[in-house]
Amino acid sequence: MSARKILVPLAAMVVFLALWELLVWVMGWPNYKMASPSDLIPAFQRYWGLFLEMGWQTLWRTVVGLLLAVVFGVALGMIMGFSRTMRDALYPLLVGFNAVPKATVVPIVALMFVGWHDFNTVLIAFMISFFPIAVSVSIGLSTLEPEYRDILRSLGASQATIFWKIALPKTLPEFFGALKVSVTLAFIGTNLMEIVSPHGRGLGALFDSGKTNSDYPLMFAVLIALAFLGIVLYYIVVALERIFAGWADRTV
Amino acid sequence: MTDDPLIDIRGVRHTFRTASGPLKVLDGLDLSVPEGGFVAVVGPSGCGKSTLTRLVAGLMIPDEGTVRVHGAPVTGPRSNVGMAFQNPVLLEWRSILDNVLLPLEIVPTKLSKPEREARARRLLALVGLEGFENKRPSELSGGMKQRASLCRALIHQPEVLILDEPFGALDAFTREDLWQTMHRVKEEEPFTGVLITHDLRESIFLADRVVVLSGRPARTQFTLEVPDTGRRTLDHLYTPEAAEMLNTLRHQIEIAQGRAPAAQAAE
Ligand SMILES: Nc1ncnc2c1ncn2[C@@H]1O[C@H](COP(=O)(O)OP(=O)(O)OP(=O)(O)O)[C@@H](O)[C@H]1O
Ligand SMILES: [Mg+2]
């Protein structure tokens, strides 16, 4: 990676923070309306340990929820991709499930598993993020041109061989496209639950405590921390995509 | 070439069960290809030509009739078949060389890894793809992809090569180039071939027998033997003999399409 690739986005970020600071200063907004970047530094300094701890909570719950979503989504996608009947049966159900706004599910799950912070947070992260994965895998598999199968099948290859040698790798670009959407969704799911769940942990709970204590710079600092974590997670997926499905990139 | 048919299709009938009811595709199909022979099959669009290739490859079993290869009834896929389609279906995540080597990962082979690679490289050189071994399929033109696909179909030395409109999507010049490549390949790597095509000039240039199928449901309507004129060049397509063969075939296709009355076929 060239220095340019790091410097350009970094410069953009500095410009963004400067504009933010300027805006708050020009408008003369008090802290409770809009904190400025310079107010955030003391907040980070004061709660440094908390940020690390809560950030870690949010991170691992998101990742575990996402991993579950990958396993379940790929399995479901395979079932729907290989069997027309299953696709016809499950698709409307899935769409309906996905259409329910997760903000309404969060309080229900929070009540159902009250006290099980880790479990209900991971559950929401999982529920909100498996849909794109299942759909992309099923579409990837069901749109595989029959000639791809025939080439191997005419040589006596088993269905499993066809899956490993052709169907799976061919679906990887779609899978990673969906994973980029899912990682952000899982992150949103984790935070929704952390904010709603009483005595919860994670960055969402830190945000909530900032709200209760009217500590506005803390709330904004949490937002920045969330943005940072979100970026890290997203680019991890991008890196994995480069490694496993880099061949699909025609621009290089 | 001996007279024993390597591929022998007798009285094949087949009906697909589709959402809109049964669809009869083959009805009384006979076809035989001697060992080392190269038969072209032409016929109206949708008459059942690809279905015929799937029968020979053992990818499906007909409702009625027999398909034999080497005298033994075809009951399922056998590794002695190589296939190439209009869509070259190369695997984008593999290099050209690894694409060509794919069948050897399925079919048992006595060749060692270096021997396999050497064979793949030789085939690629034969079709004019020397130097492209490490390229990705997306870096190749349509004609080059088709050449690579041909190498993949031949790498495991199949007895039967099945080509389903392999040059159908190519421009006329590239197609003629590939016809000549086919002759070169057949000299170096003898095979028994079935070629499905829509191009009558292609059929008489490449094959030694052309079979015309009727419209759906397909049966064998007409067979034309292409006289052996030794090494063929494109000039052969512009001789009076070729013009006459093309005329006969065109007329047969019109009958198959139902555009000319069958009675005239006797002329
Ligand atoms: N698996 C299948 N199930 C149902 N119908 C099928 C199936 N395969 C082919 N058909 C139908 O059978 C008919 C013959 O198909 P086939 O592909 O053999 O024709 P073709 O002669 O190769 O056509 P083309 O010239 O367009 O390549 C078509 O009407 C097709 O829609
Ligand atoms: Mg066809």
Side-chain angles (χ1 to χ4, degrees):
Chain A
M1 207 191 288
S2 66
R4 197 176 161 276
K5 270 204 166 145
I6 300 179
L7 284 179
V8 171
L10 213 61
M13 230 170 265
V14 170
V15 170
F16 171 75
L17 290 176
L19 284 178
W20 178 2
E21 185 79 45
L22 189 74
L23 186 72
V24 174
W25 183 72
V26 168
M27 304 300 279
W29 279 328
N31 260 349
Y32 58 81
K33 204 160 185 185
M34 180 98 166
S36 62
S38 55
D39 299 325
L40 303 185
I41 297 167
F44 276 122
Q45 277 171 342
R46 240 181 43 232
Y47 302 113
W48 186 235
L50 264 183
F51 268 103
L52 276 186
E53 195 190 326
M54 298 304 186
W56 167 244
Q57 292 280 340
T58 301
L59 183 67
W60 81 254
R61 288 155 154 182
T62 304
V63 170
V64 171
L66 187 66
L67 286 179
L68 287 177
V70 167
V71 172
F72 183 74
V74 168
L76 198 65
M78 277 171 69
I79 292 170
M80 293 199 301
F82 285 130
S83 157
R84 228 212 123 91
T85 317
M86 292 308 268
R87 187 156 66 246
D88 292 345
L90 295 177
Y91 211 82
L93 214 64
L94 256 179
V95 172
F97 181 86
N98 189 53
V100 175
K102 293 303 170 291
T104 60
V105 180
V106 169
I108 298 175
V109 171
L111 276 179
M112 270 169 90
F113 304 102
V114 66
W116 304 18
H117 294 310
D118 290 340
F119 180 77
N120 58 23
T121 313
V122 167
L123 184 66
I124 286 291
F126 157 75
M127 276 167 64
I128 204 171
S129 63
F130 78 86
F131 182 77
I133 298 174
V135 171
S136 73
V137 171
S138 90
I139 290 179
L141 292 180
S142 62
T143 54
L144 185 70
E145 293 97 322
E147 289 98 332
Y148 280 101
R149 277 173 222 277
D150 288 351
I151 285 284
L152 286 195
R153 222 157 67 79
S154 66
L155 299 171
S158 67
Q159 284 296 334
T161 309
I162 295 175
F163 178 76
W164 285 113
K165 289 218 185 276
I166 293 187
L168 180 78
K170 198 152 170 39
T171 308
L172 279 182
E174 279 100 341
F175 168 78
F176 277 106
L179 196 59
K180 281 191 226 164
V181 176
S182 287
V183 69
T184 315
L185 286 177
F187 195 55
I188 293 172
T190 310
N191 280 286
L192 273 177
M193 185 49 101
E194 287 172 350
I195 292 171
V196 168
S197 192
H199 317 298
R201 299 169 66 74
L203 288 175
L206 195 60
F207 179 83
D208 200 46
S209 80
K211 205 172 91 190
T212 349
N213 299 321
S214 304
D215 189 343
Y216 296 102
L218 174 60
M219 289 168 73
F220 277 95
V222 170
L223 292 190
I224 296 294
L226 283 174
F228 174 74
L229 259 191
I231 291 172
V232 169
L233 280 173
Y234 185 86
Y235 279 99
I236 288 176
V237 175
V238 170
L240 289 175
E241 182 183 31
R242 284 255 170 84
I243 296 170
F244 292 108
W247 51 265
D249 188 358
R250 299 283 170 83
T251 57
V252 286
Chain B
M1 208 199 278
T2 69
D3 281 344
D4 285 346
L6 180 80
I7 305 171
D8 195 19
I9 300 179
R10 290 274 166 84
V12 161
R13 282 166 227 288
H14 193 78
T15 304
F16 282 118
R17 280 155 289 277
T18 66
S20 51
L23 181 73
K24 205 180 206 184
V25 272
L26 303 175
D27 190 13
L29 184 77
D30 298 300
L31 183 83
S32 75
V33 188
E35 185 157 3
F38 199 174
V39 170
V41 178
V42 296
S45 184
C47 72
K49 301 182 294 297
S50 297
T51 307
L52 162 69
T53 65
R54 294 171 59 81
L55 289 174
V56 176
L59 291 171
M60 46 178 277
I61 308 294
D63 292 343
E64 258 181 78
T66 53
V67 179
R68 288 169 194 273
V69 174
H70 264 320
V74 174
T75 54
R78 333 154 26 118
S79 50
N80 62 357
V81 174
M83 293 184 101
F85 311 96
Q86 174 165 358
N87 180 352
V89 291
L90 298 174
L91 311 185
E92 200 50 57
W93 54 94
R94 288 172 173 239
S95 67
I96 292 301
L97 185 69
D98 286 339
N99 262 289
V100 173
L101 286 166
L102 178 72
L104 294 182
E105 295 166 26
I106 315 285
V107 177
T109 169
K110 286 193 239 30
L111 299 181
S112 69
K113 195 161 184 288
E115 285 170 329
R116 278 181 253 168
E117 256 197 58
R119 174 164 166 76
R121 284 177 194 282
R122 208 170 52 70
L123 279 175
L124 283 168
L126 182 62
V127 300
L129 281 183
E130 204 165 6
F132 289 89
E133 292 86 352
N134 297 322
K135 292 258 190 278
R136 296 276 169 172
S138 58
E139 296 175 86
L140 267 57
S141 70
M144 290 160 123
K145 281 185 196 160
Q146 214 41 265
R147 287 171 203 268
S149 161
L150 193 63
C151 293
R152 178 180 59 190
L154 289 167
I155 185 82
H156 54 298
Q157 288 181 293
E159 281 180 302
V160 178
L161 181 66
I162 298 171
L163 304 170
D164 192 348
E165 295 182 40
F167 316 127
L170 305 176
D171 66 86
F173 298 123
T174 310
R175 203 180 304 169
E176 288 179 357
D177 244 14
L178 265 147
W179 293 350
Q180 281 158 319
T181 304
M182 278 309 294
H183 276 303
R184 212 162 53 233
V185 167
K186 188 135 190 344
E187 268 168 33
E188 300 278 320
E189 294 274 332
F191 56 78
T192 304
V194 177
L195 168 76
I196 310 292
T197 178
H198 276 137
D199 186 335
L200 299 180
R201 291 165 72 237
E202 178 172 302
S203 74
I204 62 162
F205 185 66
L206 289 181
D208 33 52
R209 180 183 297 166
V210 183
V211 172
V212 181
L213 299 187
S214 69
R216 193 175 66 224
R219 60 181 169 74
T220 311
Q221 175 184 304
F222 181 79
T223 305
L224 175 90
E225 301 289 338
V226 183
D228 190 357
T229 50
R231 208 192 166 111
R232 286 180 205 167
T233 65
L234 286 173
D235 292 338
H236 277 95
L237 288 174
Y238 300 95
T239 58
E241 292 79 17
E244 202 187 313
M245 284 192 282
L246 288 173
N247 238 331
T248 311
L249 288 174
R250 189 164 302 123
H251 184 62
Q252 287 296 331
I253 292 284
E254 279 173 8
I255 296 170
Q257 289 173 326
R259 287 197 286 144
Q264 286 184 353
E267 287 179 3

